[in-house]
Amino acid sequence: MAHFLSELQIALAMSFAPMTLLYLVIGVVVGMILGIIPGFSGVTGMVILLPFVFNLDVAEGMALLLGMYVATTITDTIPAVLLGVPGTAASQAHVLDGYPMAKRGEADRALSASYTADVFGVVIGFFLFLAVIPVLAAMTMAFGSPEYFAMGVVGICAVGTISTGRGQALKGVIIGFLGVLIATVGMSLHTGLPRYTFGQHYLLDGFPIVPVILGLFALPEIIDLFAHDETIADKNTPQGRRGGTVAGIIDAFRSWFLVVRTSIIGGIIGFVPAVGGPVAQWIAFAHAKQTEKNADQIGSGDVRGIISAQAAVSSCKPASLVPTLVFGVPGDVVMAILMGAFLVMGIRPGPHMVGADLNITLMLMFIIILGNIVAVIISLCLGRWLLNITKIKSSIITPIILCFMLMGSLVATGGFGDIAVFVGFGILGFIMDKTGWPRIPLVLGFVLGPILETYLFISYDAYGVGFVLRPIVMICLVIAVTMIAWPALRSFMRRRKPLGAKI
Amino acid sequence: MNWRILLRSPFWLHALIIAACTYVVWDGTGKLFRYKMFPYVIVGIIITFSVAELVRHGIGRIKDRKRDTVDLSVAALPDLSLTEYDIRSIRFIIWLIILIALFYILGPTFAVALFMALYLSIEVRMWWVNRVLIVAAMTLMTQYLFIWALDLTVPEGLLARIIY
């Protein structure tokens, strides 16, 4: 307990340092702008901000990135409610109730209810995290290098399976392991010999993470934005008149039990790798429809629909950090990029994140909560004004972001090699995007590659090939195989059912 | 063959992956075990799944043929004409090439300024006052935010190397 309190004190001091708060506000503002532009997401924002964390200390860098990330999940509600267009995938459920409310003239009520539920959700998510710390600490005691290696494999399989369409699970897994293979380029960690460098000195340190992620994710998004050259505001007129802010806040307080339940649902989903907010919102929404009185109104302009979805999405945020920080298995691509940033800043995920380095974990949680509160305050004050951003034509935004990306890619070595990597992976990302190959597992594999190699070497040195027979490793590998084979198994079982019925 | 059909073929990325795996195996021949152990494990996993995916794809095609469910109507044919989207994508790529060329010749600060001026004049046809303001803002941002605040090492342009 004494250790926990001292870690808590350190975390609070780091989170509330003036420079940390300044970077948090900058991150939140950038995130709010990007969250409002449909088509942009936390991923693109995080990729664009990634080069800026290189010169910052841990608290400042994380404040910038996490502030941006949490803000996108709050302001994406604004276009969802006012225009009927979800800002990101995690605000799709908001359209069902928010847009009809806006048409009735209750837009501000819907938005303020969503913001209030968001703050509640993130705080409940934080307490859920505190509750599982002892469990996590006990679990990590049973984990050694073989188990961490197996967890990494499960993470790649989980993200590869979920990020692809139906019946395409293998594609995602192949791409995930291709990412791991790409990460082996450079000096071999255990022999000191250059590997797959084609004699290029530039590649001795491997492909730098910033140009790779910028190319894979940001460049295809920008091409898409440019090619569509239109504004959302051209097609959709903002609905609703001003007023109802206080009513929305009261609504969220009145539905406190719904907020608590859906936050717990979101928090639990957040712990599961590769699921996150987009899934949590629908499960929470379905829960509200099943359990609330007059449930038929939910989905056609009832504030409880927005409250349930937003509480679940926001409580996911602290929970989704857990697999990344403790097991080194990023739950989604935002977490994979964040993990890349952790490694750049010298934070190595592992069991010590709920032990000796608990202060860093707690600091990250506080930053998420503070980021939410700052974003909510700004949204309440400037939400409608921020909507004007959707009127800017994408052809004006794209060159600015393109210049930022090209400059940002130079952060690795400052040479033309960085630009070549950026363009090369940009082309790969664009083609993958257009041909239905997922990009998320590639990044995850790329980030996890060196860690997996280290764990595999330690496991092999300590136990030989027999490390795969350790119980937790076997369980992990069975889970991985089941995840990949599940679509085939399911279709096989479905085909068997009618036969049985005939007999 | 139309490039869009070629791109959408499920085999090209598999071919690329298998080529990469073959190279990894060839590169590891005769090298230390510690050098090649991890890449070989990963290559083994990739090849296993690639073969499984190709088999799955092949079985799917055979089933479709057996069911005779292939829609041969004109509406089912893919649209092979270059859409507005394709044309604009190509235009963007041309702008990207211009920006990289300017980077190489002028160095980042002047390249960003000239690129923004060209882009806003040709692509957006913006009022000149707005154009000047945006170009100035971007140039300052490049200089202050990236080069000074981030202490970024940026490559010298070809012209700077010739002049100095």
Side-chain angles (χ1 to χ4, degrees):
Chain A
M1 192 65 187
H3 170 70
F4 176 76
L5 288 176
S6 71
E7 296 289 296
L8 192 70
Q9 203 178 358
I10 298 167
L12 281 169
M14 286 198 287
S15 312
F16 284 93
M19 286 309 284
T20 309
L21 292 175
L22 176 69
Y23 280 105
L24 182 74
V25 173
I26 294 170
V28 165
V29 170
V30 173
M32 292 181 83
I33 293 167
L34 293 180
I36 281 180
I37 305 170
F40 268 114
S41 60
V43 178
T44 320
M46 197 162 274
V47 168
I48 292 170
L49 286 186
L50 195 58
F52 294 91
V53 303
F54 272 65
N55 283 2
L56 302 177
D57 74 19
V58 175
E60 293 165 3
M62 286 299 122
L64 187 69
L65 289 182
L66 287 174
M68 192 286 310
Y69 168 57
V70 296
T72 52
T73 61
I74 293 172
T75 48
D76 60 357
T77 315
I78 298 173
V81 170
L82 295 179
L83 303 172
V85 181
T88 67
S91 65
Q92 287 164 343
H94 298 65
V95 177
L96 295 180
D97 289 292
Y99 195 52
M101 282 183 76
K103 280 183 172 170
R104 289 203 308 257
E106 295 178 325
D108 284 348
R109 184 182 166 198
L111 287 172
S112 60
S114 167
Y115 299 149
T116 313
D118 183 274
V119 174
F120 276 129
V122 78
V123 173
I124 292 170
F126 171 68
F127 282 110
L128 269 177
F129 167 74
L130 288 185
V132 297
I133 285 178
V135 183
L136 287 170
M139 269 176 77
T140 52
M141 293 293 280
F143 273 55
S145 292
E147 285 76 20
Y148 282 114
F149 174 75
M151 282 292 286
V153 172
V154 171
I156 292 172
C157 291
V159 174
T161 309
I162 291 169
S163 60
T164 46
R166 207 177 152 189
Q168 308 274 307
L170 280 170
K171 268 186 179 180
V173 180
I174 293 167
I175 287 294
F177 284 102
L178 182 71
V180 178
L181 199 62
I182 292 171
T184 61
V185 172
M187 198 74 83
S188 162
L189 291 172
H190 302 275
T191 59
L193 293 170
R195 214 163 36 184
Y196 325 130
T197 57
F198 300 97
Q200 299 293 316
H201 289 290
Y202 176 80
L203 290 176
L204 283 177
D205 287 332
F207 287 111
I209 189 163
V210 174
V212 168
I213 296 178
L214 269 172
L216 270 175
F217 278 97
L219 195 57
E221 303 298 327
I222 295 298
I223 294 177
D224 215 41
L225 202 66
F226 179 89
H228 280 121
D229 193 27
E230 58 188 21
T231 63
I232 302 299
D234 284 346
K235 287 183 180 171
N236 309 57
T237 316
Q239 300 285 337
R241 58 173 191 269
R242 294 199 66 85
T245 304
V246 180
I249 296 169
I250 293 168
D251 282 333
F253 275 98
R254 262 195 207 135
S255 307
W256 68 270
F257 191 47
L258 177 68
V259 172
V260 171
R261 286 188 334 252
T262 49
S263 299
I264 291 171
I265 290 172
I268 292 167
I269 292 168
F271 287 120
V272 182
V275 183
V279 176
Q281 60 172 338
W282 289 114
I283 294 177
F285 183 79
H287 173 76
K289 273 208 85 112
Q290 281 172 351
T291 55
E292 287 292 294
K293 284 177 191 167
N294 305 322
D296 51 323
Q297 289 170 8
I298 297 174
S300 52
D302 192 309
V303 75
R304 288 172 297 170
I306 298 177
I307 289 171
S308 58
Q310 189 61 35
V313 169
S314 56
S315 68
C316 254
K317 286 175 254 176
S320 62
L321 273 176
V322 170
T324 314
L325 284 172
V326 182
F327 298 107
V329 181
D332 54 30
V333 72
V334 171
M335 288 300 138
I337 297 167
L338 205 59
M339 191 165 146
F342 287 159
L343 297 175
V344 163
M345 300 175 97
I347 305 174
R348 201 172 167 81
H352 55 92
M353 296 305 287
V354 285
D357 290 329
L358 184 63
N359 60 70
I360 295 175
T361 311
L362 289 173
M363 178 202 74
L364 297 175
M365 299 289 168
F366 287 136
I367 285 173
I368 289 179
I369 295 173
L370 283 172
N372 268 272
I373 293 168
V374 171
V376 162
I377 291 168
I378 298 175
S379 297
L380 279 171
C381 302
L382 303 172
R384 279 182 178 264
W385 180 81
L386 281 169
L387 199 67
N388 288 326
I389 292 165
T390 55
K391 290 177 186 162
I392 301 172
K393 279 212 154 217
S394 54
S395 56
I396 298 173
I397 301 170
T398 43
I400 297 169
I401 295 175
L402 180 65
C403 292
F404 263 71
M405 289 189 324
L406 216 59
M407 290 299 293
S409 68
L410 291 170
V411 83
T413 63
F416 281 105
D418 296 334
I419 293 176
V421 171
F422 165 71
V423 173
F425 277 89
I427 292 167
L428 181 68
F430 182 69
I431 293 172
M432 285 173 77
D433 187 35
K434 296 297 154 214
T435 50
W437 286 78
R439 290 167 290 163
I440 297 169
L442 188 76
V443 172
L444 186 67
F446 181 74
V447 172
L448 281 180
I451 299 169
L452 283 181
E453 183 168 9
T454 306
Y455 284 139
L456 181 68
F457 262 98
I458 298 170
S459 308
Y460 183 77
D461 280 349
Y463 307 99
V465 190
F467 80 86
V468 291
L469 298 174
R470 285 164 67 94
I472 296 175
V473 177
M474 283 177 75
I475 292 168
C476 288
L477 296 181
V478 168
I479 291 170
V481 172
T482 311
M483 270 189 297
I484 297 163
W486 179 245
L489 281 173
R490 195 173 52 183
S491 70
F492 176 74
M493 285 192 295
R494 274 189 189 157
R495 253 183 282 141
R496 299 261 315 192
K497 262 190 183 169
L499 277 175
K502 273 178 193 172
I503 292 164
Chain B
M1 187 186 260
N2 189 294
W3 67 276
R4 293 172 81 194
I5 292 182
L6 193 73
L7 272 181
R8 285 180 192 283
S9 162
F11 295 105
W12 76 266
L13 202 51
H14 282 292
L16 194 74
I17 289 167
I18 289 169
C21 291
T22 312
Y23 172 73
V24 168
V25 174
W26 172 79
D27 180 77
T29 314
K31 298 265 173 62
L32 291 169
F33 176 71
R34 298 178 79 86
Y35 173 92
K36 62 190 177 189
M37 183 178 95
F38 184 69
Y40 273 24
V41 169
I42 301 303
V43 160
I45 295 171
I46 291 174
I47 289 177
T48 309
F49 287 135
S50 285
V51 170
E53 168 66 8
L54 286 172
V55 169
R56 191 196 65 81
H57 189 77
I59 291 171
R61 282 176 72 101
I62 291 166
K63 272 185 190 166
D64 282 349
R65 267 186 216 153
K66 274 187 184 168
R67 281 187 207 141
D68 198 21
T69 53
V70 181
D71 187 358
L72 296 172
S73 64
V74 175
L77 291 172
D79 178 18
L80 301 180
S81 59
L82 276 178
T83 60
E84 179 67 20
Y85 181 91
D86 295 327
I87 295 165
R88 288 195 63 82
S89 300
I90 293 165
R91 241 164 67 188
F92 180 87
I93 291 164
I94 293 169
W95 279 116
L96 176 64
I97 293 167
I98 292 171
L99 178 59
I100 293 169
L102 288 174
F103 251 64
Y104 186 72
I105 297 165
L106 301 174
T109 311
F110 293 113
V112 166
L114 189 57
F115 171 77
M116 288 302 294
L118 281 173
Y119 180 94
L120 294 175
S121 313
I122 298 166
E123 193 69 47
V124 188
R125 294 172 197 279
M126 194 179 260
W127 184 42
W128 72 269
V129 176
N130 285 351
R131 212 185 310 159
V132 169
L133 285 173
I134 293 178
V135 169
M138 280 302 290
T139 313
L140 286 174
M141 210 137 38
T142 309
Q143 191 63 36
Y144 285 95
L145 194 66
F146 284 94
I147 299 175
W148 288 355
L150 282 182
D151 196 18
L152 202 67
T153 313
V154 290
E156 266 187 354
L158 193 67
L159 273 185
R161 271 178 274 164
I162 292 169
I163 294 168
Y164 302 111

